[in-house]
Amino acid sequence: MFQRIIKACVKLVQKYLPDPFIFAIILTLIAACIAMPVCRQTPVEVIEHWGNGVWSLLAFAMQMALVLVCGSTLASAPIVKKGISSLASIPKSPAAAIALVTGISAVACWLNWGFGLIVGVIFAKEIAKKLRGVDYRLLIASAYSGFVVWHAGLSGSIPLTMATPGSGLKEITRGAVENPIPISSTILDPHNLVMVALIIVALVFVNSVMHPKADNVIAIDPQLLNEDSPAPKAKASSPAEHLENSRLLSWIISLMGLSFLVIKLAKGGSIDLNFVIMLFLFAGILLHGNPLSYVKAFGKSATGASGILLQFPFYAGIMGIIMGTGESGICLGTEVSNACISISNHTTYPLLTFLCAAVLNMFVPSGGGHWAIQAPIMFTAGAQLDVDPGLTGMAISWGDAWTNLIQPFWALPALAIAKLNARDIMGFCLIDLFVTGAIICAGLLIWA
């Protein structure tokens, strides 16, 4: 019975889920068509909001491209490849491989989402090279499924913003939250930790039992995953070539970069996305041995960033539509949030906040975007209903993370590394969506 449901979900997604770029265009049109009647905005106003928003994620798009390229380049360093290869030899059956990939990816994403997203899929690829009979689609889906816990983890942007001192929190929550909320009341709250643990265990189990029978397995030829062998190094014959192949230059610049990261942590800095990118960058330069070797490996990895560079401006445009306010003074994101508040009470408010965030995440897959839209409304309403602000923040965070399982936006880096399309993995992720959704909904009700 379970296998029939899985097959149905996979076929459904394969048939109806378009390429992620087409998906972004369709979401743009849906958002525009909803904004006009609901917010009483003219087509001109909607187009202006869309156009003004298109370039609002340029910095973030660059960060995402770099975390993909620098992470992939680091993974291609000889010593890293050897280490990943050794770990990939541990599982001896397809189910064990799926379980190991899921667990490692989820824990890594909880620690840091950028690190976990890249490491999980690279590890999955290495297993696919070594283990026969494992379904490659499910392997990559398992690596991505752990991403659902990242907003409830140590790199969750919303709870970290809530814990940051300053006047910004009071301003954006319209005075509902005056003092920073420590992560002991959000990320490290026992309720949240239990939810994370239950979700990781559930994902490991469900992904393992989802593995199709041998006659339905879609494996991949390991040769298709092997990168081209590096060309033999020619002996340097000029000063320029000596510099290009200088290990000393790589050591010096890597030492500078890694030292900066150590100093930052020593002074109380956080491990954010920029920290992860710098770690990948300078560790990669160091482990590749010389500058020219790193440049060549970086160039090969950069081809996978095309989807990010193309699609992020469109999602930024959608964010512009959702957040835009015309002459009517009505914002679509605000209307969605208000609709959620209108049917809430003290117990159901966190659950409905979560569902509201989950819907918005399909159109605005960005923690920063959610914070800007929902913080001014949800914290004020939560205070009126006497809901703990830490719980309100985590409800938004969980909603922001949950529908990432079926939103191709965040899957782009993983898909680029795996060389798959979104429809190849989203059928399996749809099952994970239902399972994790049940746990999150129950967890928020108990927490409330």
Side-chain angles (χ1 to χ4, degrees):
M1 181 65 180
F2 188 53
Q3 285 295 329
R4 289 182 182 177
I5 296 174
I6 296 168
K7 287 182 181 179
C9 289
V10 171
K11 287 182 178 179
L12 180 70
V13 170
Q14 285 280 355
K15 187 174 182 179
Y16 292 106
L17 182 67
D19 181 88
F21 179 54
I22 307 301
F23 189 73
I25 293 176
I26 292 173
L27 286 178
T28 301
L29 298 178
I30 292 174
C33 291
I34 293 175
M36 284 186 281
V38 171
C39 302
R40 299 197 293 275
Q41 295 178 6
T42 66
V44 172
E45 287 179 320
V46 172
I47 290 174
E48 286 181 337
H49 295 152
W50 174 74
N52 291 331
V54 163
W55 307 119
S56 62
L57 289 180
L58 280 180
F60 185 58
M62 184 63 173
Q63 287 177 314
M64 288 298 293
L66 283 175
V67 77
L68 164 64
V69 177
C70 292
S72 300
T73 307
L74 172 61
S76 68
I79 189 171
V80 177
K81 289 175 68 175
K82 186 176 180 180
I84 294 176
S85 179
S86 298
L87 286 175
S89 300
I90 294 175
K92 303 302 180 184
S93 68
I98 297 299
L100 185 61
V101 166
T102 303
I104 288 179
S105 172
V107 172
C109 284
W110 188 83
L111 293 172
N112 183 276
W113 71 265
F115 176 75
L117 184 61
I118 299 302
V119 167
V121 72
I122 289 174
F123 182 49
K125 277 184 64 176
E126 194 61 33
I127 287 179
K129 295 178 186 178
K130 292 179 171 293
L131 185 64
R132 293 182 178 275
V134 63
D135 193 283
Y136 186 59
R137 304 164 304 165
L138 178 57
L139 199 60
I140 300 304
S142 299
Y144 180 64
S145 67
F147 196 62
V148 74
V149 302
W150 84 269
H151 258 306
L154 297 179
S155 62
S157 57
I158 291 175
L160 291 180
T161 300
M162 292 164 59
T164 302
S167 60
L169 183 63
K170 181 178 179 179
E171 291 175 1
I172 198 167
T173 61
R174 296 175 179 173
V177 182
E178 297 186 359
N179 300 312
I181 302 172
I183 62 172
S184 60
S185 299
T186 54
I187 296 171
L188 299 182
D189 186 282
H191 294 90
N192 187 64
L193 293 178
V194 169
M195 289 167 64
V196 169
L198 289 175
I199 285 174
I200 293 176
V201 171
L203 287 174
V204 169
F205 175 75
V206 171
N207 288 344
S208 299
V209 300
M210 272 200 290
H211 196 275
K213 296 179 180 179
D215 54 344
N216 292 321
V217 167
I218 296 182
I220 189 169
D221 184 352
Q223 295 300 321
L224 297 177
L225 299 177
N226 288 328
E227 292 79 12
D228 296 332
S229 300
K233 295 180 181 179
K235 188 174 181 180
S237 59
S238 68
E241 291 177 347
H242 278 290
L243 288 174
E244 291 171 346
N245 291 280
S246 172
R247 289 183 175 273
L248 181 60
L249 282 179
S250 290
W251 292 344
I252 292 174
I253 196 66
S254 299
L255 181 61
M256 289 177 62
L258 296 174
S259 296
F260 167 78
L261 297 180
V262 172
I263 293 170
K264 180 180 178 180
L265 286 180
K267 291 188 175 182
S270 61
I271 302 178
D272 54 15
L273 183 55
N274 288 335
F275 185 101
V276 173
I277 293 171
M278 288 190 71
L279 178 62
F280 285 169
L281 172 63
F282 291 109
I285 293 173
L286 178 66
L287 296 178
H288 271 278
N290 62 73
L292 187 60
S293 175
Y294 187 80
V295 167
K296 291 179 178 178
F298 192 94
K300 289 181 180 179
S301 300
T303 58
S306 59
I308 294 173
L309 300 178
L310 172 63
Q311 294 176 44
F312 270 45
F314 285 85
Y315 280 105
I318 295 171
M319 187 186 303
I321 295 173
I322 299 294
M323 299 176 65
T325 302
E327 291 186 4
S328 65
I330 302 174
C331 165
L332 182 56
T334 300
E335 288 300 291
V336 174
S337 298
N338 285 335
C340 165
I341 293 169
S342 65
I343 57 174
S344 300
N345 57 40
H346 175 82
T347 302
T348 62
Y349 183 74
L351 174 60
L352 292 171
T353 298
F354 158 72
L355 294 174
C356 175
V359 172
L360 284 175
N361 185 60
M362 295 300 297
F363 297 89
V364 187
S366 163
H370 275 259
W371 183 248
I373 293 171
Q374 293 194 278
I377 306 162
M378 307 312 268
F379 282 95
T380 302
Q384 294 172 355
L385 293 171
D386 196 28
V387 177
D388 178 69
L391 175 54
T392 299
M394 290 310 299
I396 298 173
S397 296
W398 275 112
D400 188 14
W402 181 50
T403 43
N404 284 335
L405 285 169
I406 55 170
Q407 162 55 271
F409 179 86
W410 291 105
L412 291 175
L415 294 170
I417 294 173
K419 300 178 181 177
L420 290 178
N421 191 283
R423 66 171 65 95
D424 294 321
I425 70 169
M426 288 298 170
F428 300 108
C429 290
L430 186 59
I431 299 294
D432 289 332
L433 181 83
F434 295 140
V435 173
T436 57
I439 295 173
I440 296 168
C441 289
L444 290 175
L445 286 174
I446 293 172
W447 194 343

mmCIF file of all heavy atoms in Angstrom, residues 12-31:
data_model
loop_
_atom_site.group_PDB
_atom_site.id
_atom_site.type_symbol
_atom_site.label_atom_id
_atom_site.label_comp_id
_atom_site.label_asym_id
_atom_site.label_seq_id
_atom_site.Cartn_x
_atom_site.Cartn_y
_atom_site.Cartn_z
ATOM 1 N N LEU A 12 2.626 11.663 -10.168
ATOM 2 C CA LEU A 12 1.926 12.942 -10.150
ATOM 3 C C LEU A 12 2.895 14.094 -10.375
ATOM 4 O O LEU A 12 2.649 14.986 -11.203
ATOM 5 C CB LEU A 12 1.200 13.112 -8.811
ATOM 6 C CG LEU A 12 0.402 14.407 -8.629
ATOM 7 C CD1 LEU A 12 -0.824 14.402 -9.528
ATOM 8 C CD2 LEU A 12 -0.023 14.574 -7.164
ATOM 9 N N VAL A 13 4.000 14.066 -9.652
ATOM 10 C CA VAL A 13 4.987 15.130 -9.768
ATOM 11 C C VAL A 13 5.668 15.094 -11.135
ATOM 12 O O VAL A 13 5.878 16.126 -11.775
ATOM 13 C CB VAL A 13 6.030 15.020 -8.635
ATOM 14 C CG1 VAL A 13 7.192 15.963 -8.885
ATOM 15 C CG2 VAL A 13 5.388 15.325 -7.291
ATOM 16 N N GLN A 14 6.009 13.891 -11.589
ATOM 17 C CA GLN A 14 6.658 13.759 -12.894
ATOM 18 C C GLN A 14 5.778 14.322 -14.008
ATOM 19 O O GLN A 14 6.268 14.906 -14.971
ATOM 20 C CB GLN A 14 6.962 12.283 -13.178
ATOM 21 C CG GLN A 14 8.141 11.717 -12.405
ATOM 22 C CD GLN A 14 9.474 12.084 -13.037
ATOM 23 O OE1 GLN A 14 9.540 12.679 -14.095
ATOM 24 N NE2 GLN A 14 10.547 11.722 -12.361
ATOM 25 N N LYS A 15 4.469 14.153 -13.856
ATOM 26 C CA LYS A 15 3.542 14.560 -14.914
ATOM 27 C C LYS A 15 3.214 16.049 -14.874
ATOM 28 O O LYS A 15 3.089 16.696 -15.928
ATOM 29 C CB LYS A 15 2.257 13.735 -14.809
ATOM 30 C CG LYS A 15 1.292 13.960 -15.965
ATOM 31 C CD LYS A 15 0.107 13.000 -15.873
ATOM 32 C CE LYS A 15 -0.838 13.177 -17.065
ATOM 33 N NZ LYS A 15 -1.985 12.227 -17.014
ATOM 34 N N TYR A 16 3.075 16.595 -13.669
ATOM 35 C CA TYR A 16 2.536 17.948 -13.566
ATOM 36 C C TYR A 16 3.520 19.007 -13.085
ATOM 37 O O TYR A 16 3.224 20.204 -13.224
ATOM 38 C CB TYR A 16 1.316 17.944 -12.640
ATOM 39 C CG TYR A 16 0.140 17.195 -13.214
ATOM 40 C CD1 TYR A 16 -0.214 15.936 -12.722
ATOM 41 C CD2 TYR A 16 -0.601 17.737 -14.252
ATOM 42 C CE1 TYR A 16 -1.298 15.242 -13.256
ATOM 43 C CE2 TYR A 16 -1.690 17.043 -14.792
ATOM 44 C CZ TYR A 16 -2.022 15.801 -14.293
ATOM 45 O OH TYR A 16 -3.082 15.113 -14.821
ATOM 46 N N LEU A 17 4.630 18.636 -12.463
ATOM 47 C CA LEU A 17 5.571 19.658 -11.993
ATOM 48 C C LEU A 17 6.480 20.086 -13.137
ATOM 49 O O LEU A 17 7.259 19.285 -13.648
ATOM 50 C CB LEU A 17 6.419 19.123 -10.832
ATOM 51 C CG LEU A 17 7.407 20.139 -10.233
ATOM 52 C CD1 LEU A 17 6.663 21.267 -9.535
ATOM 53 C CD2 LEU A 17 8.369 19.467 -9.257
ATOM 54 N N PRO A 18 6.410 21.334 -13.568
ATOM 55 C CA PRO A 18 7.263 21.788 -14.670
ATOM 56 C C PRO A 18 8.677 22.077 -14.203
ATOM 57 O O PRO A 18 8.995 21.973 -13.016
ATOM 58 C CB PRO A 18 6.566 23.070 -15.129
ATOM 59 C CG PRO A 18 5.929 23.605 -13.880
ATOM 60 C CD PRO A 18 5.523 22.398 -13.073
ATOM 61 N N ASP A 19 9.519 22.452 -15.123
ATOM 62 C CA ASP A 19 10.879 22.886 -14.793
ATOM 63 C C ASP A 19 10.806 24.025 -13.778
ATOM 64 O O ASP A 19 9.878 24.849 -13.822
ATOM 65 C CB ASP A 19 11.577 23.357 -16.075
ATOM 66 C CG ASP A 19 13.006 23.800 -15.817
ATOM 67 O OD1 ASP A 19 13.906 22.953 -15.853
ATOM 68 O OD2 ASP A 19 13.209 25.017 -15.566
ATOM 69 N N PRO A 20 11.760 24.085 -12.826
ATOM 70 C CA PRO A 20 11.703 25.142 -11.796
ATOM 71 C C PRO A 20 11.562 26.553 -12.354
ATOM 72 O O PRO A 20 10.916 27.402 -11.726
ATOM 73 C CB PRO A 20 13.040 24.970 -11.065
ATOM 74 C CG PRO A 20 13.332 23.516 -11.186
ATOM 75 C CD PRO A 20 12.847 23.129 -12.552
ATOM 76 N N PHE A 21 12.129 26.831 -13.526
ATOM 77 C CA PHE A 21 11.990 28.169 -14.106
ATOM 78 C C PHE A 21 10.541 28.432 -14.505
ATOM 79 O O PHE A 21 9.998 29.518 -14.263
ATOM 80 C CB PHE A 21 12.914 28.307 -15.312
ATOM 81 C CG PHE A 21 12.820 29.651 -15.988
ATOM 82 C CD1 PHE A 21 12.984 30.821 -15.268
ATOM 83 C CD2 PHE A 21 12.551 29.744 -17.352
ATOM 84 C CE1 PHE A 21 12.892 32.061 -15.881
ATOM 85 C CE2 PHE A 21 12.461 30.978 -17.974
ATOM 86 C CZ PHE A 21 12.626 32.138 -17.238
ATOM 87 N N ILE A 22 9.885 27.426 -15.106
ATOM 88 C CA ILE A 22 8.471 27.560 -15.464
ATOM 89 C C ILE A 22 7.632 27.715 -14.203
ATOM 90 O O ILE A 22 6.676 28.491 -14.152
ATOM 91 C CB ILE A 22 7.993 26.331 -16.273
ATOM 92 C CG1 ILE A 22 8.929 26.089 -17.470
ATOM 93 C CG2 ILE A 22 6.558 26.513 -16.725
ATOM 94 C CD1 ILE A 22 9.013 27.253 -18.423
ATOM 95 N N PHE A 23 7.995 26.964 -13.148
ATOM 96 C CA PHE A 23 7.303 27.050 -11.869
ATOM 97 C C PHE A 23 7.370 28.468 -11.318
ATOM 98 O O PHE A 23 6.381 29.002 -10.813
ATOM 99 C CB PHE A 23 7.936 26.053 -10.891
ATOM 100 C CG PHE A 23 7.191 25.887 -9.602
ATOM 101 C CD1 PHE A 23 5.995 25.207 -9.546
ATOM 102 C CD2 PHE A 23 7.701 26.419 -8.424
ATOM 103 C CE1 PHE A 23 5.304 25.046 -8.350
ATOM 104 C CE2 PHE A 23 7.026 26.269 -7.226
ATOM 105 C CZ PHE A 23 5.826 25.578 -7.190
ATOM 106 N N ALA A 24 8.530 29.102 -11.428
ATOM 107 C CA ALA A 24 8.701 30.475 -10.943
ATOM 108 C C ALA A 24 7.825 31.444 -11.742
ATOM 109 O O ALA A 24 7.227 32.374 -11.168
ATOM 110 C CB ALA A 24 10.172 30.885 -11.039
ATOM 111 N N ILE A 25 7.728 31.245 -13.046
ATOM 112 C CA ILE A 25 6.891 32.113 -13.874
ATOM 113 C C ILE A 25 5.417 31.944 -13.503
ATOM 114 O O ILE A 25 4.671 32.928 -13.378
ATOM 115 C CB ILE A 25 7.107 31.795 -15.365
ATOM 116 C CG1 ILE A 25 8.540 32.171 -15.795
ATOM 117 C CG2 ILE A 25 6.088 32.550 -16.226
ATOM 118 C CD1 ILE A 25 8.871 31.816 -17.226
ATOM 119 N N ILE A 26 4.977 30.693 -13.307
ATOM 120 C CA ILE A 26 3.583 30.428 -12.944
ATOM 121 C C ILE A 26 3.248 31.063 -11.593
ATOM 122 O O ILE A 26 2.190 31.686 -11.421
ATOM 123 C CB ILE A 26 3.314 28.914 -12.916
ATOM 124 C CG1 ILE A 26 3.385 28.340 -14.339
ATOM 125 C CG2 ILE A 26 1.950 28.617 -12.297
ATOM 126 C CD1 ILE A 26 3.302 26.835 -14.405
ATOM 127 N N LEU A 27 4.157 30.942 -10.619
ATOM 128 C CA LEU A 27 3.931 31.569 -9.311
ATOM 129 C C LEU A 27 3.852 33.088 -9.439
ATOM 130 O O LEU A 27 3.069 33.738 -8.740
ATOM 131 C CB LEU A 27 5.050 31.187 -8.341
ATOM 132 C CG LEU A 27 5.032 29.760 -7.783
ATOM 133 C CD1 LEU A 27 6.231 29.531 -6.879
ATOM 134 C CD2 LEU A 27 3.737 29.489 -7.017
ATOM 135 N N THR A 28 4.642 33.651 -10.330
ATOM 136 C CA THR A 28 4.599 35.094 -10.565
ATOM 137 C C THR A 28 3.219 35.516 -11.054
ATOM 138 O O THR A 28 2.631 36.494 -10.557
ATOM 139 C CB THR A 28 5.659 35.500 -11.610
ATOM 140 O OG1 THR A 28 6.960 35.129 -11.153
ATOM 141 C CG2 THR A 28 5.630 37.003 -11.848
ATOM 142 N N LEU A 29 2.691 34.775 -12.018
ATOM 143 C CA LEU A 29 1.376 35.105 -12.582
ATOM 144 C C LEU A 29 0.270 34.919 -11.553
ATOM 145 O O LEU A 29 -0.671 35.730 -11.481
ATOM 146 C CB LEU A 29 1.116 34.238 -13.813
ATOM 147 C CG LEU A 29 2.105 34.432 -14.981
ATOM 148 C CD1 LEU A 29 1.774 33.478 -16.123
ATOM 149 C CD2 LEU A 29 2.091 35.876 -15.462
ATOM 150 N N ILE A 30 0.377 33.849 -10.738
ATOM 151 C CA ILE A 30 -0.632 33.611 -9.693
ATOM 152 C C ILE A 30 -0.639 34.749 -8.682
ATOM 153 O O ILE A 30 -1.696 35.273 -8.304
ATOM 154 C CB ILE A 30 -0.381 32.265 -8.995
ATOM 155 C CG1 ILE A 30 -0.646 31.100 -9.957
ATOM 156 C CG2 ILE A 30 -1.255 32.128 -7.743
ATOM 157 C CD1 ILE A 30 -0.276 29.743 -9.392
ATOM 158 N N ALA A 31 0.564 35.139 -8.224
ATOM 159 C CA ALA A 31 0.669 36.229 -7.249
ATOM 160 C C ALA A 31 0.096 37.522 -7.815
ATOM 161 O O ALA A 31 -0.615 38.262 -7.124
ATOM 162 C CB ALA A 31 2.135 36.427 -6.837
#
